[in-house]
Amino acid sequence: MSSDDTPPGGPPEQLALIRETVRRAKPRTWHGAHLAEELPVARVVVDKGLLHLDQFFDYAVPVAMAETAQPGVRVRVRFGARVSAAGRREGGELHDGFIVARLASSDFRGPLAPLAQVLSPERVLTPALLKLSRTIADRYAGTLADVLQLAVPPRHAKAEAEPSPPPQPPPAAPPAGSWQRYPQGPEFLAALTAGHPPRAVWTALPGPSWPQEIALAVAATLAGGRGALVVLPDGRAVARVDAALTELLGGPERHAVLTADLGPKERYRNWLAVSRGSVRAVLGTRATVFAPVHDLGLLVVWSDGDSSHSDPRAPHPHVREIALLRAAEEGAAVLLGGLAMTVEGAQLLRTGWARPLAADRAVVRETAPRVRTVGEADQARDAAAQAARLPSVAWQAAREALRSGPVLVQVPRRGYVPRLACGRCRTPARCAHCAGPLEAVGAGEALQCAWCGIAAADWHCVECGSFRLRAQVVGARRTAEELGKAFPGIPVRTSGRDAVLAGVSAEPALVISTPGAEPVAEGSGYAAALLLDGWALLSRPDLRSGEETLRLWLAAAALVRPAAEGGLVVVVAEPTARPVQALVRWDPAGHADLELAERAQLGFPPVSRMAAVTGSPGAVADLLGLARLPEGADLLGPVPLPPVRGQEQERALLRVRPGQGGALAAALKAAQIARVALRGAEPVKVRIDPTDIG
DNA sequence: AGCACGCCGACT
DNA sequence: GTCGGCGTGCTC
């Protein structure tokens, strides 16, 4: 079968031509197996997340697999085999992969190995999903195989054997309902039903109706004959929208839910219902953004500032970025919503890519609770309240509110360890050169920038001029628990990391919760909320601390009754701080806009694009030396990081202009590949859009 | 990444 | 003569 491999003589060009002709006539394999008559070559993406193997490989299609080996199916292939002296293929591990195309011939110069097995005839990798995954891999300097692992759930044979339910006819277009509170709301729904792709950044009104509004947008899209997809940050939020959608659509038949806690079988069954077109609407947590909804008309991302939208697995893509890229590729509408607004959301509005979907100020004021601020200096007289370090205003507000309903107390989690801040006004201390966060090095309290490493000998606060610094320490949880003693006879419930409550009754109770774990209160909501130790949130060493703090506050405050019904929020934090001001005015959009302007001025993301390079000092320097960075790329650092398993670690940040993010990712990926080719290179981590750069 | 081929020094 | 050093290159 391979005796024609070395034709005698002839000029090289002609030789190449002969080879070409021979191979095109019929692909050769190592075993001379019988091949498929039609399209005997399968192009395969092999599920091996190695950067330098991020390419397709061609395999021969044995005749027995001619029908099942269709584009999109899962296959097993031998990969990495060697050719022995006797001319036999030897070794080669079996790897999973997907067929991406069937071809008449291969451009590979050599004999093709046959597909080992078609795992299932189910065509799970659609052309659209493949294209999207490639885009995401490139965006994040990762491999296609890594992204596919996030995008396509593991197969479950039993779930696959079951037939999916028959598709339902589209529902009738829903009435605008509570979307009428937004001037552009009904128009937005009408555009979805008409099959248009409107794009909106939605500032949701406080209160319990946002799940219904998401459900209405989904139903409007379904009514127009297109599909819809909703990504939410956690299972609790999914459950709320699931309930709203089930009610609105008169049953659970028209939508599918994808969350991790369903278990592999149920999850795969639901995913297949979407993939097979049985169901046109899907909601779930972050992986849902990849769900292969047929004729996708709408992508909804709720609370895009929530960190669970950032995937912890390589290459760490963010749901919002995936959704925006997918909407562009598939001509779908976008609804990027939340009680808060991210800087990225503000940027989409600023550039005109999306339009705002927000209620008028008067409606906001009617819906939101009253917000009072109180500095830490204000101390309660009551001994128990003092033990809980509860300011008197907060103490009085709680006592008053407990007469009419439950009171929510938000306490920052332990483990928020902020860096240095001004001792007087608590403005975070930043580097004069690159605006990175300052940190104390050693006991001598020498200051240096955590990003660029430049010493800050003569620091003073840019806000108030103070020279005094304060190392922030948090020890708040126990303080909150003291509240139980401060209010004898009142039941105390807690909700936090390990035990999150979904809801509480409308009876008076103290509900102590860490941010993000707040239970919903039945009836009209909490009578009051106390947001304690705000400084601990505000001074976290993160570029997004302000935005994040406001998001956490708004999420808690949105569970409180409207001001007209007596709802009151007391926030214990520096009253002049920007997020505090934004909370008082209930103006998340204004806050995001200010943050955006500041980021632009400082050259921070998302106005610039960044990548972090982490590893041993030698390896980081090595990679940076190899990388052919785009014109005008800034290098910040490298700076030392805490050692990992006794090994010194450094991190460098790279910054480029917007529009050069793709070039930056490509340059870093190429440098990584070049380093792998060198022997014994220590690993370096590359992360695009690093999240923890404060 | 693995894994084998390849071309130069000290052993049976 | 041959065992083995790890430099170099490939994986359909």
Side-chain angles (χ1 to χ4, degrees):
Chain A
M1 201 72 184
S2 54
S3 59
D4 53 288
D5 201 15
T6 49
E13 297 86 347
Q14 197 184 333
L15 201 128
L17 201 72
I18 291 168
R19 289 180 163 219
E20 198 76 359
T21 313
V22 167
R23 198 176 46 258
R24 280 190 194 288
K26 197 168 199 180
R28 293 161 296 127
T29 73
W30 287 99
H31 301 294
H34 292 292
L35 301 185
E37 293 286 326
E38 297 272 305
L39 306 176
V41 175
R43 188 152 283 175
V44 173
V45 49
V46 180
D47 188 4
K48 210 162 188 277
L50 299 175
L51 227 40
H52 51 293
L53 295 181
D54 193 14
Q55 52 181 293
F56 298 137
F57 292 89
D58 289 349
Y59 285 80
V61 180
V63 68
M65 302 178 198
E67 295 308 314
T68 52
Q70 294 303 318
V73 305
R74 290 181 220 256
V75 289
R76 313 254 294 153
V77 293
R78 293 218 171 262
F79 190 74
R82 298 268 98 197
V83 181
S84 72
R88 301 280 307 172
R89 277 180 80 80
E90 285 172 358
E93 301 277 304
L94 275 174
H95 282 278
D96 287 349
F98 299 94
I99 296 181
V100 297
R102 281 283 293 271
L103 306 165
S105 66
S106 170
D107 49 17
F108 177 62
R109 321 204 126 266
L112 301 183
L115 295 173
Q117 190 188 354
V118 173
L119 282 170
S120 131
E122 191 86 34
R123 295 171 70 162
V124 290
L125 181 58
T126 62
L129 187 50
L130 175 65
K131 185 159 183 274
L132 176 66
S133 300
R134 180 74 263 164
T135 305
I136 301 306
D138 293 341
R139 164 83 169 68
Y140 287 95
T143 65
L144 178 61
D146 277 345
V147 176
L148 289 177
Q149 221 149 61
L150 307 177
V152 184
R155 180 172 118 92
H156 191 288
K158 278 191 187 147
E160 203 172 82
E162 298 169 10
S164 291
Q168 300 282 316
S178 53
W179 274 113
Q180 287 179 56
R181 301 180 300 166
Y182 303 84
Q184 314 299 324
E187 189 191 322
F188 183 75
L189 292 191
L192 293 176
T193 301
H196 299 149
R199 299 185 292 232
V201 174
W202 168 35
T203 309
L205 285 164
S209 62
W210 59 264
Q212 281 92 306
E213 282 141 24
I214 291 176
L216 284 166
V218 170
T221 309
L222 290 178
R226 299 187 79 185
L229 171 164
V230 184
V231 192
L232 301 124
D234 53 55
R236 284 198 310 161
V238 173
R240 291 180 70 184
V241 177
D242 183 17
L245 205 49
T246 302
E247 192 184 331
L248 184 66
L249 297 177
E253 299 83 14
R254 282 199 184 88
H255 69 281
V257 171
L258 298 176
T259 55
D261 56 7
L262 290 173
K265 184 180 181 188
E266 187 75 4
R267 187 178 185 144
Y268 191 55
R269 179 194 291 133
N270 293 352
W271 189 88
L272 281 178
V274 176
S275 167
R276 292 168 174 174
S278 298
V279 161
R280 309 291 306 277
V282 59
L283 53 143
T285 43
R286 61 180 170 251
T288 306
V289 74
F290 289 106
V293 175
H294 291 207
D295 187 13
L296 184 63
L298 171 68
L299 292 120
V300 182
V301 178
W302 174 254
S303 198
D304 66 306
D306 194 300
S307 62
S308 28
H309 285 309
S310 182
D311 205 295
R313 291 183 289 167
H316 311 289
H318 194 287
V319 164
R320 178 188 49 242
E321 303 309 315
I322 301 168
L324 301 183
L325 289 164
R326 187 168 180 190
E329 278 182 4
E330 299 183 35
V334 173
L335 181 58
L336 191 63
L339 297 158
M341 188 188 291
T342 56
V343 181
E344 286 82 359
Q347 193 182 34
L348 293 174
L349 295 178
R350 183 76 71 91
T351 60
W353 194 87
R355 297 180 58 186
L357 208 45
D360 291 335
R361 288 303 313 168
V363 177
V364 174
R365 272 195 297 272
E366 258 170 42
T367 322
R370 194 159 64 89
V371 179
R372 286 202 58 182
T373 66
V374 49
E376 284 174 86
D378 171 71
Q379 282 294 316
R381 294 275 173 91
D382 183 276
Q386 221 160 43
R389 276 192 278 127
L390 196 66
S392 62
V393 171
W395 156 252
Q396 282 155 24
R399 197 176 49 180
E400 185 76 18
L402 281 168
R403 289 185 198 148
S404 60
V407 171
L408 178 65
V409 183
Q410 186 194 63
V411 185
R413 269 210 283 131
R414 276 169 167 280
Y416 283 73
V417 182
R419 284 199 192 137
L420 297 174
C422 171
R424 192 196 300 171
C425 74
R426 297 222 169 97
T427 300
R430 292 204 165 270
C431 173
H433 301 276
C434 77
L438 296 187
E439 57 187 13
V441 189
E445 295 205 354
L447 287 180
Q448 76 167 39
C449 172
W451 286 2
C452 69
I454 292 174
D458 51 355
W459 177 86
H460 68 273
C461 178
V462 292
E463 292 298 322
C464 73
S466 167
F467 291 88
R468 205 156 43 85
L469 274 167
R470 163 172 171 162
Q472 312 278 17
V473 184
V474 182
R477 200 204 306 173
R478 193 184 301 165
T479 307
E481 285 162 3
E482 292 285 328
L483 281 176
K485 295 174 197 157
F487 295 96
I490 300 286
V492 179
R493 315 281 316 268
T494 61
S495 181
R497 226 178 120 61
D498 27 318
V500 177
L501 300 175
V504 296
S505 77
E507 300 302 309
L510 279 162
V511 181
I512 294 157
S513 173
T514 54
E518 294 88 355
V520 177
E522 274 175 32
S524 53
Y526 290 99
L530 312 181
L531 311 176
L532 302 186
D533 284 338
W535 59 267
L537 295 174
L538 285 170
S539 56
R540 286 174 65 208
D542 193 296
L543 198 54
R544 294 180 178 275
S545 61
E547 181 185 325
E548 175 70 354
T549 301
L550 181 58
R551 183 178 72 78
L552 296 172
W553 284 345
L554 289 167
L559 302 173
V560 177
R561 299 167 190 171
E565 295 171 39
L568 175 65
V569 172
V570 177
V571 54
V572 183
E574 171 54 49
T576 59
R578 185 186 291 164
V580 180
Q581 297 272 304
L583 178 67
V584 170
R585 293 197 314 275
W586 206 282
D587 185 17
H591 183 267
D593 219 40
L594 287 174
E595 288 275 308
L596 178 65
E598 190 174 279
R599 303 272 185 93
Q601 203 176 6
L602 297 173
F604 284 165
V607 183
S608 68
R609 293 283 307 279
M610 274 194 179
V613 177
T614 313
S616 75
V620 169
D622 196 24
L623 184 99
L624 293 175
L626 280 168
R628 301 189 59 182
L629 298 172
E631 189 76 20
D634 274 345
L635 172 64
L636 309 174
V639 295
L641 290 181
V644 174
R645 277 174 279 107
Q647 296 286 304
E648 262 188 283
Q649 293 283 301
E650 270 188 1
R651 178 175 66 186
L653 291 171
L654 293 162
R655 175 162 67 184
V656 295
R657 296 195 303 275
Q660 296 211 298
L664 177 63
L668 290 172
K669 187 172 169 182
Q672 286 271 57
I673 291 169
R675 262 174 56 76
V676 168
L678 304 172
R679 58 165 187 81
E682 295 172 273
V684 176
K685 279 191 200 140
V686 167
R687 180 150 182 178
I688 305 296
D689 298 346
T691 50
D692 56 342
I693 55 172

